[in-house]
Amino acid sequence: MNYKRFAPVLLVLSVLALYNSAKAQDLIDKKVDSVLSKMTLAEKVGQMNQYNGDWEATGPVTKAVGDKLGEIKQGRVGAVLNIMGSAHTKMFQDAAMQSRLKIPLLFGQDVIHGYRITFPIPLAEACSWDIDAIERAERIAATEASASGINWTFSPMVDIARDPRWGRVMEGAGEDPYLGSLIAAARVHGFQGRGLGNIDAIMACAKHFAAYGAAIGGRDYNSVDISMHTLWEVYLPPFKAAAEAGAATFMNSFNDLNGTPATGNSYLQREVLKKIWNFKGFVVSDWGSIGEMIPHGYAKDNYQAAEIAVKAGNDMDMESRSYIDNLEKLVNDGKVSVALLDESVRRILRKKFEMGLFDDPYRYINPAREKSMLNRPQSQEEAKSMAQKSIVLLKNNNQLLPLSKELKTVALIGPLGKAKKEQKGFWSLDIEPNEDIPSVFESLQKAAPKTQFVYQYGCNIDDQSHAGFAAAVEAAKKADVVVMAMGEAPDMTGEAKSKANIHLPGVQEELIKAIVETGKPVVVLLMAGRPMIFNWTADNANAILYTWWLGSQGGNAIADVIYGAYNPSGKLPITFPRTEGQIPIYYNHLNTGRPAASDKDVFYKSAYIDLPNSPRYAFGFGLSYTSFDYIDDGVFYSTTPIKDNETLKISFTLKNTGKYAGEETVQLYIRDLVSQPLRPVKELKDFKKVFLQPGESRQVTFTISRDMLYFYNDNLQYVTQPGDFQVMIGSASDDIRLKRTFELTN
Ligand code: BGC
């Protein structure tokens, strides 16, 4: 088709679309103003107030549910959370419809990795580096949640995390700002689908704004003390990407940032988010975080906390009651202007209009739709595919994996071999019946019907007892191969689940030792929400699959990988340390003036005397059952320097040199060789997923453009700087296969 012929038509169409959306916005603004003009001060404050439902989630429930319904009827509540299902949400919306102005409620929920169907935890999904698949996963979550009365998710969590001790590392996309930004945008697009107003779209909420992942020592809720440069370079990019993707809402965070609680931080909320990024949605506090400015020592009481928060740009109060109890008085005392409240209420009402809630407050509440949309077979298939892509093969000595389906006996050993609901991991909802989730034991049996499977638990997750060892060793001795299902308990990661010791818990590694000593081939499955430490296993087990928490289809996905129906392709989005003392450890660090030439170079290695600097597993690492060659076949060329808006193309040939069809994630890193301020030793700037049959080759081409070379200078201006750059292409951040330099001129 000759697209050029249609160019004028396309131009007219897109101008028309822009015009129509501006007109629609205009119309909504008029409707918002009309509602606002009828509202009393108390009703305005009510819209800025959000209550939890009737069960205790991540904080104390402040009121009995009957009282809350009463307050909703008085127009004193704008949104609720943790009310799910059409019957329950209807009860609350009915109450809102009895209020004077009948302003519909918003129903928020932590739809973090699936709703009825549980998808892999977000950190696991990030291992797929499959941006489209991640978007599809959120589309399914939104389709299910929106059919159950929910119209707002407190997701995605886009906090960069460089510290695996932090329990909430499981909720994000890992340590990299570039990958994190792509995933942030994909999740927003997934939740919001074709746009708010569509019945299957729910509002996304980028959280926790900002820098919550940099909590000192990895202790949840702790202070964050980072430079403005690090804030802008590392922690803000995924938030910016979420805002640009159209995230309807943002949530601020529990931490203080350089001495100012994020909740009361007007630089973050007013200056960066609402002014520089031109964000048009609204900001909700984290659970009780307005009131928490009191124990922080930032506000004397709730009266002052409310004043600070509203002035800082926090539009809605989740569960601290600071707004509902104080905003009216603050206005009457002349401390806060009505105009300031109007701004917040406008933002909230606008979203309610955009979602069509004023036209039909019950549009998300429909039992028939709920019944038909939940747990659809095609959604389960998507969950299985996502789970397969989330698994990372860390080791596979002598090609032990995939296993043959002809093996006579396989011993399955370990505390998680028969786990069902545990596979869902933290932040999953309890809608799915546990018996629906296949255990690894069941899925292996189904996949290899000729093999006899014997199960021994060996030890419990956190056990100090060796009582189960003997039976496990006996079972191993009688088997051809042993599969061990080991890991953390699902509630060892998540909110308030930071750990000082992130080794494989209890006596599990001793159990692995005892089984490996039988001389049988051992495959270790590691299930967890964070990178764990397991050095003995890494050195001595024959094969290791890091499976994280894979959700509803975990057992099936693991069986598919073990028997080769799926060739593992996951790559780590976060660095695995050798031990806790190396933390924080991340690939995109700055160089010192004494970088390591070798680990023996005592005065020049800037390392510990008792450990190398390298991690156990680097960012971007992950094996396949096949192998890939990166061939610099002379097509790897450069037309440096890059001037103005010129681009530079770099090609090479990727060849599948192994026996299996498989997918490689080719990673492109760039380093600015001389820079003020300093730039990291490498930064991910692009990647491509390439699927090849055995023996197949394909030319892979990357395009480098100026926009990949921008960074924040000392004045926080986003600039490029002329000079030499190194481009590195490889299979992991520590497995670079091809290198070239190029120049950027002004
Ligand atoms: C968490 C948020 C969550 C909220 C509502 C808070 O404790 O920090 O991430 O969205 O609770 O459940």
Side-chain angles (χ1 to χ4, degrees):
M1 178 153 54
N2 181 357
Y3 288 96
K4 277 196 186 142
R5 271 182 50 207
F6 294 102
V9 180
L10 291 176
L11 186 71
V12 171
L13 283 179
S14 54
V15 169
L16 257 175
L18 269 177
Y19 174 75
N20 282 338
S21 94
K23 238 175 81 181
Q25 275 305 323
D26 228 37
L27 197 66
I28 286 183
D29 284 346
K30 286 206 179 93
K31 289 181 181 172
V32 166
D33 282 342
S34 149
V35 175
L36 196 67
S37 68
K38 299 188 184 90
M39 291 171 83
T40 63
L41 180 57
E43 284 164 339
K44 290 177 183 175
V45 173
Q47 284 306 301
M48 298 168 71
N49 182 33
Q50 180 181 39
Y51 282 150
N52 179 46
D54 39 13
W55 51 281
E56 190 157 318
T58 54
V61 175
T62 52
K63 278 220 145 186
V65 70
D67 294 346
K68 285 179 195 166
L69 287 172
E71 286 194 49
I72 293 169
K73 289 178 194 164
Q74 290 162 30
R76 284 166 58 81
V77 184
V80 289
L81 73 150
N82 291 328
I83 306 287
M84 292 181 287
S86 41
H88 212 180
T89 45
K90 181 170 182 309
M91 178 172 119
F92 278 72
Q93 200 66 296
D94 282 346
M97 289 306 107
Q98 291 169 49
S99 66
R100 191 179 75 90
L101 291 174
K102 303 190 179 0
I103 300 177
L105 282 175
L106 293 172
F107 292 90
Q109 185 65 46
D110 289 288
V111 182
I112 306 293
H113 51 117
Y115 184 74
R116 158 63 174 77
I117 298 175
T118 310
F119 277 73
I121 57 167
L123 186 60
E125 288 187 344
C127 297
S128 72
W129 296 46
D130 190 332
I131 306 304
D132 293 342
I134 291 174
E135 182 174 332
R136 285 199 301 276
E138 302 304 28
R139 196 80 289 286
I140 290 169
T143 306
E144 290 196 342
S146 64
S148 299
I150 304 300
N151 44 38
W152 181 19
T153 174
F154 304 122
S155 183
M157 188 195 96
V158 303
D159 295 306
I160 294 294
R162 292 171 156 184
D163 192 332
R165 293 171 299 182
W166 189 47
R168 302 197 77 168
V169 69
M170 56 134 322
E171 288 173 59
E175 74 189 33
D176 185 62
Y178 174 72
L179 183 61
S181 298
L182 292 180
I183 293 177
R187 292 194 189 281
V188 170
H189 288 141
F191 287 128
Q192 299 188 172
R194 288 167 300 143
L196 300 187
N198 289 291
I199 190 70
D200 59 356
I202 60 177
M203 291 198 296
C205 181
K207 70 186 189 185
H208 306 81
F209 196 57
Y212 183 38
I216 294 173
R219 295 203 301 276
D220 211 358
Y221 315 129
N222 205 9
S223 289
V224 168
D225 196 345
I226 54 175
S227 69
M228 289 301 274
H229 194 253
T230 301
L231 176 71
W232 277 90
E233 281 288 334
V234 180
Y235 290 93
L236 290 186
F239 285 102
K240 185 163 183 277
E244 284 168 0
T249 68
F250 264 53
M251 183 187 290
N252 57 35
S253 54
F254 291 126
N255 57 286
D256 75 81
L257 173 65
N258 303 334
T260 304
T263 305
N265 197 314
S266 62
Y267 172 71
L268 285 175
Q269 297 170 105
R270 285 214 183 274
E271 181 69 17
V272 176
L273 179 62
K274 292 182 176 173
K275 195 163 148 212
I276 304 179
W277 294 348
N278 197 23
F279 171 71
K280 297 286 182 226
F282 69 88
V283 179
V284 63
S285 76
D286 203 346
W287 182 300
S289 68
I290 299 179
E292 288 180 18
M293 286 196 284
I294 305 166
H296 263 298
Y298 199 73
K300 162 162 118 265
D301 49 25
N302 265 308
Y303 179 79
Q304 193 186 10
E307 178 186 358
I308 292 172
V310 77
K311 285 186 171 162
N314 180 128
D315 301 304
M316 186 181 278
D317 174 357
M318 181 194 287
E319 268 296 348
S320 72
R321 306 189 61 78
S322 302
Y323 279 6
I324 195 72
D325 291 346
N326 296 287
L327 278 185
E328 265 186 88
K329 185 161 169 22
L330 279 162
V331 171
N332 292 332
D333 292 350
K335 300 238 168 159
V336 168
S337 68
V338 178
L340 202 66
L341 262 56
D342 283 354
E343 193 218 306
S344 292
V345 177
R346 264 201 191 89
R347 287 173 180 271
I348 295 163
L349 292 181
R350 199 183 288 138
K351 292 300 157 201
K352 294 187 177 183
F353 271 110
E354 284 176 20
M355 283 195 295
L357 287 169
F358 276 97
D359 297 330
D360 177 7
Y362 296 96
R363 66 194 304 250
Y364 291 90
I365 303 171
N366 177 339
R369 196 161 82 86
E370 181 171 30
K371 210 160 159 226
S372 70
M373 294 315 266
L374 296 196
N375 199 25
R376 289 185 304 170
Q378 63 268 43
S379 305
Q380 284 286 3
E381 273 310 305
E382 198 68 60
K384 182 164 116 174
S385 162
M386 192 74 242
Q388 292 168 335
K389 291 173 186 188
S390 304
I391 296 172
V392 185
L393 178 66
L394 294 179
K395 186 173 183 186
N396 194 19
N397 271 12
N398 306 321
Q399 296 273 305
L400 172 59
L401 288 172
L403 297 184
S404 156
K405 291 188 178 176
E406 305 298 320
L407 291 174
K408 253 181 80 191
T409 314
V410 168
L412 178 65
I413 292 170
L416 291 159
K418 289 199 169 176
K420 285 181 163 283
K421 99 167 202 266
E422 289 82 349
Q423 293 186 74
K424 287 164 62 172
F426 202 80
W427 281 122
S428 46
L429 299 167
D430 247 341
I431 307 171
E432 182 170 33
N434 296 338
E435 30 330 327
D436 281 13
I437 304 170
S439 67
V440 172
F441 186 68
E442 288 163 352
S443 296
L444 289 179
Q445 272 184 325
K446 207 166 105 205
K450 290 192 205 152
T451 301
Q452 194 207 348
F453 289 89
V454 182
Y455 176 71
Q456 283 294 331
Y457 80 106
C459 63
N460 294 311
I461 289 173
D462 223 357
D463 248 355
Q464 295 310 316
S465 155
H466 300 81
F469 277 33
V473 168
E474 272 323 294
K477 282 184 181 159
K478 292 193 196 120
D480 301 309
V481 170
V482 184
V483 177
M484 301 191 73
M486 320 297 280
E488 289 193 330
D491 62 358
M492 287 179 177
T493 45
E495 185 175 346
K497 302 291 183 296
S498 293
K499 283 180 90 188
N501 173 356
I502 59 167
H503 280 65
L504 192 52
V507 291
Q508 290 187 66
E509 208 155 28
E510 288 180 48
L511 177 64
I512 296 173
K513 225 181 243 184
I515 301 299
V516 168
E517 274 163 13
T518 63
K520 296 290 177 169
V522 177
V523 179
V524 179
L525 308 175
L526 292 171
M527 304 186 185
R530 62 157 60 79
M532 295 185 294
I533 292 165
F534 45 92
N535 289 313
W536 195 92
T537 306
D539 290 334
N540 297 286
N542 303 90
I544 303 173
L545 288 166
Y546 215 82
T547 73
W548 311 98
W549 300 116
L550 294 171
S552 308
Q553 290 289 334
N556 292 336
I558 288 170
D560 285 346
V561 166
I562 287 183
Y563 288 105
Y566 184 84
N567 181 356
S569 63
K571 299 274 189 181
L572 298 175
I574 186 165
T575 304
F576 277 47
R578 293 175 187 275
T579 193
E580 292 87 352
Q582 282 186 317
I583 300 170
I585 181 168
Y586 45 90
Y587 85 95
N588 49 356
H589 60 85
L590 304 180
N591 228 3
T592 68
R594 294 186 165 200
S598 91
D599 275 334
K600 295 197 184 70
D601 213 355
V602 173
F603 285 104
Y604 282 85
K605 68 178 189 169
S606 323
Y608 307 101
I609 56 172
D610 56 350
L611 261 190
N613 255 3
S614 56
R616 183 81 235 189
Y617 299 109
F619 174 85
F621 174 75
L623 301 171
S624 164
Y625 293 156
T626 193
S627 49
F628 298 97
D629 264 13
Y630 288 59
I631 304 161
D632 184 352
D633 51 15
V635 194
F636 187 92
Y637 62 88
S638 71
T639 54
T640 152
I642 305 186
K643 276 193 232 114
D644 305 321
N645 290 328
E646 288 174 358
T647 55
L648 171 71
K649 289 220 186 300
I650 293 178
S651 303
F652 68 97
T653 298
L654 184 75
K655 180 168 187 195
N656 180 344
T657 50
K659 288 195 304 218
Y660 300 91
E663 190 170 44
E664 170 71 322
T665 302
V666 178
Q667 301 157 38
L668 179 133
Y669 297 89
I670 292 183
R671 176 175 186 185
D672 189 345
L673 290 170
V674 178
S675 172
Q676 294 96 29
L678 297 171
R679 306 289 306 134
V681 292
K682 52 174 83 84
E683 288 175 286
L684 183 73
K685 291 291 177 183
D686 201 357
F687 59 87
K688 287 190 195 303
K689 294 179 75 69
V690 186
F691 185 88
L692 294 174
Q693 296 296 333
E696 191 186 349
S697 299
R698 181 145 349 128
Q699 194 181 68
V700 179
T701 304
F702 284 104
T703 304
I704 295 176
S705 57
R706 182 178 286 268
D707 54 282
M708 291 174 166
L709 310 176
Y710 275 85
F711 69 104
Y712 290 94
N713 69 12
D714 284 334
N715 300 321
L716 298 180
Q717 294 155 318
Y718 201 47
V719 296
T720 54
Q721 175 174 252
D724 289 335
F725 292 80
Q726 185 169 55
V727 52
M728 293 159 269
I729 295 175
S731 178
S733 64
D734 68 344
D735 185 6
I736 299 299
R737 309 285 181 91
L738 304 167
K739 277 189 192 173
R740 281 290 190 277
T741 53
F742 67 89
E743 194 192 340
L744 177 78
T745 60
N746 258 334

